[in-house]
Every structure is written in structure tokens, then in C-alpha cells.
Amino acid sequence: EDKVVQSPLSLVVHEGDTVTLNCSYEVTNFRSLLWYKQEKKAPTFLFMLTSSGIEKKSGRLSSILDKKELFSILNITATQTGDSAVYLCAVVTSGTYKYIFGTGTRLKVLA
Amino acid sequence: EAGVTQFPSHSVIEKGQTVTLRCDPISGHDNLYWYRRVMGKEIKFLLHFVKESKQDESGMPNNRFLAERTGGTYSTLKVQPAELEDSGVYFCASSQPGLASYEQYFGPGTRLTVT
């Protein structure tokens, strides 16, 4: 059965810290991996990764995919209280468009 | 551009009753998805519409759940009769037409509580 595992489940840091969130997967016919941020309601898109070794960046956030070791990381540098959210990892397999989600990592950034 | 909207935001019903959830996707998005998150678990796929056709309904838990998308615009998800284990947050998402679009835009979800 296809599986996506995120770690840690939750994390508490102080403003200014750097965090690394992990997402590993075991799926057949991998197509893409996506990261979303969920603050209160709707998850919002962060990154989509399809190729290994190519870092995607957006401000203080960056992400990279390793298709050999079957994982991705999401880095957040110089964290701010506004980064507090649940970060969701999802995988899409070829031939379908449905997301297979991990349970998410709950990040809390303290002032 | 308006995002994906869902109605209601929260519904509390008794076991055995019927509830209908509605999703309005982003205008022009042919693809519409329903997902569900039950307490403590990951978000799970329910089904996928392309316009008014069900493309994939492999995640629908049982025949108490009925999804429709008449006219290819908004969608409804009816649960009849509701059971306690149906409680959770139901998310709708939409994406642009075409095979290349994997980015889905999510709605805020409907929290369903069955008592």
C-alpha cells in the first residue's frame, strides 16, 4: 500500500531558529511530491518537486527531493511566528491525480 | 480570483440523519476532488471529478456516500445515513484542466460532527 510518512509529528522552536521537516514515501509509480502549509483552514501550496536534486526556494523556505532515497525535506530558515502551521506532504503517482498525504508536521514558533 | 469555497463550515448532526456538503471550485477548474481527515489521521482521498464525470472514486468508503457534480460546476457530497465514524473534516480541492496540472487548490473544509 502506498505510504507517506512525515517527521517529526510536532516541533516547537523559537523565532530565528532553522527547522527541517522530513517526508519519506513508499509508492508505486511516483510522479511528484508536494508541500502545503495549513494554518487554520485551507492548505495552501508551497512547492511541487518532480526531479531529484533540484532545490526549490521561496523566501526563507526551500525544499529538495531525493528520488533514490525516497524522501524530501522542507527547510525554513530564520523562523517567524507566522510560520506556525501544519506542514503537509503529499505524493502523486502516475496515472492518477489524487494526493496521498502524510499526517503532517505541526510547527509552533515561539516569539 | 475567488478561491474554493465550501458550505457549511461546520455541521453537527445525529447518527442516522442525512447531511449534504457543498463545494464550489475555482471558476474554470475542470478537476474537483473530495478528501477527508478523520481525527488523528492523515487526509485521505475520496474521489475525483473531471467536469461532471467521476474519474476516480476509489476512496469512497461505502455506499452511504454519494457525490455529484451536475453541470460540471459545483459539487455536493451527501452522507446518508450518517454514522459516528463519518465525523471529520471534509476538504474539497480543484485544479486546472489538463493532464499537466497537479497543483490543487483547497477549500477551508467542512467539519462534520456526528453525535
Side-chain angles (χ1 to χ4, degrees):
Chain A
E1 186 182 337
D2 294 336
K3 192 166 64 170
V4 177
V5 178
Q6 292 186 247
S7 63
L9 290 180
S10 68
L11 193 54
V12 179
V13 301
H14 287 94
E15 271 192 321
D17 289 347
T18 294
V19 298
T20 298
L21 309 184
N22 303 288
C23 176
S24 63
Y25 60 90
E26 288 179 35
V27 301
T28 51
N29 300 318
F30 173 89
R31 171 66 178 83
S32 297
L33 184 146
L34 301 100
W35 285 97
Y36 279 77
K37 177 183 181 182
Q38 184 181 20
E39 293 182 76
K40 290 193 176 163
K41 296 279 190 175
T44 53
F45 174 81
L46 293 175
F47 299 111
M48 182 168 77
L49 303 143
T50 303
S51 302
S52 260
I54 299 173
E55 185 182 49
K56 295 264 181 115
K57 287 197 72 154
S58 176
R60 296 176 294 101
L61 277 67
S62 64
S63 183
I64 198 160
L65 174 68
D66 185 328
K67 289 168 73 173
K68 185 179 174 189
E69 300 298 328
L70 309 183
F71 76 93
S72 173
I73 59 171
L74 175 67
N75 278 321
I76 309 174
T77 59
T79 52
Q80 302 171 356
T81 54
D83 296 326
S84 295
V86 175
Y87 290 83
L88 298 165
C89 173
V91 167
V92 179
T93 58
S94 296
T96 179
Y97 299 91
K98 65 184 180 188
Y99 284 2
I100 304 164
F101 280 97
T103 50
T105 293
R106 183 175 296 276
L107 172 66
K108 182 159 187 169
V109 182
L110 303 176
Chain B
E1 177 185 89
V4 177
T5 58
Q6 294 186 244
F7 182 84
S9 57
H10 192 185
S11 179
V12 181
I13 61 172
E14 291 183 349
K15 177 182 167 180
Q17 290 185 323
T18 297
V19 64
T20 300
L21 314 181
R22 174 172 169 143
C23 168
D24 286 80
I26 292 171
S27 178
H29 280 194
D30 287 350
N31 295 292
L32 186 150
Y33 312 82
W34 284 98
Y35 293 87
R36 175 174 76 169
R37 183 173 203 156
V38 297
M39 180 87 74
K41 302 268 190 174
E42 67 273 21
I43 299 171
K44 285 208 164 176
F45 168 81
L46 295 178
L47 87 161
H48 169 206
F49 282 101
V50 178
K51 297 186 180 179
E52 66 275 8
S53 299
K54 290 176 186 173
Q55 181 75 14
D56 181 355
E57 50 185 328
S58 60
M60 294 289 264
N62 52 60
N63 59 9
R64 295 185 294 102
F65 288 75
L66 175 65
E68 294 180 321
R69 193 183 182 195
T70 308
T73 53
Y74 72 91
S75 174
T76 58
L77 180 65
K78 182 192 283 189
V79 185
Q80 177 184 33
E83 298 289 344
L84 298 178
E85 65 264 25
D86 301 331
S87 295
V89 180
Y90 290 76
F91 290 101
C92 175
S94 69
S95 68
Q96 292 177 357
L99 297 176
S101 178
Y102 290 95
E103 181 183 339
Q104 298 179 16
Y105 296 78
F106 282 81
T110 292
R111 180 174 295 278
L112 174 64
T113 303
V114 183
T115 63

